[in-house]
Amino acid sequence: MGKRGQALARERREKRLQEIAELRNIPYSDIDKWWSAETVAVVTGSNRGIGYEIARQLSMHGLTVVVTSRSVDGGREAVRALREEGLVVGYHQLDVMNPESVKAFTEWVVQNYGGLDILVNNAGANYNVGSNNSVEFAEKVIETNYFGTKRMIEAMIPLMKPSLAGARIVNASSRLGRLNGRRNRLGDSKLREQLERDDHLSEELIDSTVEEFIKQVKDGNWTSNGWPQVFSDYSVSKLAVNAYTRLMAKRLSDRPEGRKIAINCYCPGWVKTAMTGWAGNISTEEGADTGVWLALFPDQAVATGKFFAERREISF
């Protein structure tokens, strides 16, 4: 893309962000507002950055929000700041990479809230900034971003409260994980076709894809096998999250009325947070917006199994 193309793209993005900022200031109508103070939203990795802002915005809309973090000190500091704003939030330590931590958290949610209505899988890891593309921490990135997300979904689905509006799962993802992205396309056409086809998609296929990537990283031959070339480990992890979102939407589609669960993923954009080395081009408020919008989507029009950015559906 040339300089003129970049300038036009930037202009379009800024215009869209302005439109969204205006929409964010319009209060939800009584018809669209399906939630109450009894509605419980769990946001993973919400002691800072986008997760903190999602927790903050959901709480400002009147929900009861559970903040989680690996670091107890960081989590308690986040809760203190939110409560100073007059917001209703709870807290529990949670490491999505640790099955025992997820089990303890699950039991605590049942004991304290009886279940939940919304799960926002925001906890994530990325060790590359700028033009770096190290895979030194690939295993940790995929364990956090994909297996951690999957672990939380499996643990929380049985706890999701029945309601006419349906429960919601929102997975933080990235355009870098798109199968046919312009810059980061999966080079293995056979694998790409398998992952694209809903009738071929399976948990085994997704798991084996990330496991093969990790194996090739350890063997030192991953660069010549068609894997994404920008933030490779992060991109593969988000490709897996996107595929798993589609798979779970299909699995959950036959639940009866009153027990429906909508599951979607979204790209927050390049946000000014610690994960991007503060080099992003949008604020955490802007980055959190689509995640909050999906969590609160009016029940009569809720989508499932889709990918969104800037409040619009995009392709996987």
Side-chain angles (χ1 to χ4, degrees), residues 1 20 38 53 57 64 84 107 129 154 157 200 212 218 241 255 259 268 290 298 308 313:
M1 187 184 293
I20 292 171
E38 303 300 312
E53 185 60 28
Q57 289 186 30
T64 295
E84 282 182 356
E107 292 169 353
V129 293
E154 290 171 349
I157 281 177
H200 200 285
E212 179 61 24
K218 290 179 177 178
V241 167
R255 289 173 70 94
R259 304 289 307 189
T290 298
F308 293 87
E313 185 181 342

Side-chain angles (χ1 to χ4, degrees), residues 39-110:
T39 304
V40 177
V42 169
V43 185
T44 67
S46 45
N47 60 307
R48 64 179 187 172
I50 298 169
Y52 177 89
E53 185 60 28
I54 288 174
R56 179 176 172 274
Q57 289 186 30
L58 288 175
S59 189
M60 288 180 73
H61 281 296
L63 289 78
T64 295
V65 177
V66 177
V67 170
T68 75
S69 64
R70 275 187 301 175
S71 161
V72 173
D73 289 344
R76 287 176 176 165
E77 176 61 26
V79 167
R80 183 193 63 75
L82 290 166
R83 287 176 177 167
E84 282 182 356
E85 290 191 54
L87 302 176
V88 179
V89 294
Y91 174 74
H92 197 277
Q93 191 274 342
L94 173 64
D95 180 355
V96 299
M97 297 199 320
N98 184 334
E100 289 304 312
S101 176
V102 172
K103 184 173 182 288
F105 177 74
T106 300
E107 292 169 353
W108 178 84
V109 168
V110 172

Side-chain angles (χ1 to χ4, degrees), residues 170-181:
V170 180
N171 298 325
S173 189
S174 172
R175 288 183 178 94
L176 289 174
R178 294 169 82 177
L179 287 166
N180 286 297

Side-chain angles (χ1 to χ4, degrees), residues 13-28 61 285-286 289 293 311:
R13 184 181 67 248
E14 288 172 356
K15 182 181 178 182
R16 180 58 183 163
L17 290 173
Q18 182 58 43
E19 290 171 354
I20 292 171
E22 292 169 3
L23 290 170
R24 197 160 51 242
N25 290 326
I26 300 172
Y28 283 86
H61 281 296
E285 182 181 20
E286 291 167 321
D289 177 83
W293 174 73
R311 297 198 184 193

Side-chain angles (χ1 to χ4, degrees), residues 3 6 47 55 60 74 93 96 101 104 108 113 122 150 157 163 175 186 190 200 207 219 251 253 263 267 269 284:
K3 288 184 178 180
Q6 290 175 345
N47 60 307
M60 288 180 73
Q93 191 274 342
V96 299
S101 176
W108 178 84
Y113 299 99
N122 171 78
K150 188 166 82 158
I157 281 177
S163 72
R175 288 183 178 94
L186 191 62
K190 183 179 177 182
H200 200 285
D207 287 359
D219 292 345
R251 286 184 180 175
S253 63
I263 179 169
C267 176
T284 53

Side-chain angles (χ1 to χ4, degrees), residues 272-293:
K272 294 174 186 173
T273 65
M275 188 178 282
T276 63
W278 309 102
N281 55 21
I282 61 173
S283 68
T284 53
E285 182 181 20
E286 291 167 321
D289 177 83
T290 298
V292 173
W293 174 73

